[in-house]
Amino acid sequence: QVQLVESGGGLVQAGGSLRLSCAASGRTFSTYAMGWFRQAPGKERELVATITRGGDNTYYADSVKGRFTISRDNARNTVYLQMNSLKPEDTAVYYCAAAGAIWGVLVGNRERYGYWGQGTQVTVSS
């Protein structure tokens, strides 16, 4: 099992940046593909970005491509989401999640993620 704790959310003006972190417990972090999701009020939880176990491949939703960067540090059991050029429509609760996966495989299906953090609020003002 793995426990996930997000941090780094907050209030930022449009055009600004935030860096989210997700710290994982346990010694098996590198056995999980990781993902960042977000959920805005009244909307479904949506995939933002995913990263393979080794960090060698990533995927981004079209809405964040070119603005957000997902990365991981397996030595520190941490996954990051660098968010630049933030827009008001990026306002949501952001969750990190872990999915058991084969090395080198991206996991895009939300149902595959078995472990979730508690979420961190990101609010972008116009």
Side-chain angles (χ1 to χ4, degrees):
Q1 287 197 352
V2 62
Q3 292 183 324
L4 305 172
V5 179
E6 301 99 334
S7 61
L11 173 65
V12 64
Q13 288 188 330
S17 298
L18 283 174
R19 187 195 197 200
L20 304 184
S21 298
C22 173
S25 65
R27 295 178 292 178
T28 60
F29 179 68
S30 63
T31 67
Y32 296 96
M34 299 298 296
W36 283 97
F37 294 76
R38 67 186 182 186
Q39 188 167 18
K43 294 189 176 181
E44 294 279 326
R45 190 171 299 188
E46 64 174 357
L47 175 66
V48 174
T50 65
I51 190 167
T52 52
R53 286 171 53 183
D56 56 310
N57 200 4
T58 56
Y59 166 85
Y60 298 93
D62 287 343
S63 58
V64 306
K65 201 172 295 183
R67 300 187 297 122
F68 290 11
T69 302
I70 187 172
S71 62
R72 68 189 294 164
D73 184 340
N74 285 346
R76 297 179 184 273
N77 285 6
T78 303
V79 62
Y80 305 96
L81 185 68
Q82 177 67 44
M83 306 186 295
N84 299 328
S85 302
L86 282 161
K87 305 175 181 180
E89 51 263 45
D90 294 319
T91 295
V93 178
Y94 283 71
Y95 300 88
C96 71
I102 298 171
W103 188 268
V105 172
L106 287 166
V107 180
N109 186 338
R110 187 180 65 184
E111 304 304 320
R112 288 276 313 278
Y113 286 85
Y115 302 98
W116 294 82
Q118 82 289 350
T120 185
Q121 176 70 46
V122 172
T123 303
V124 184
S125 63
S126 57

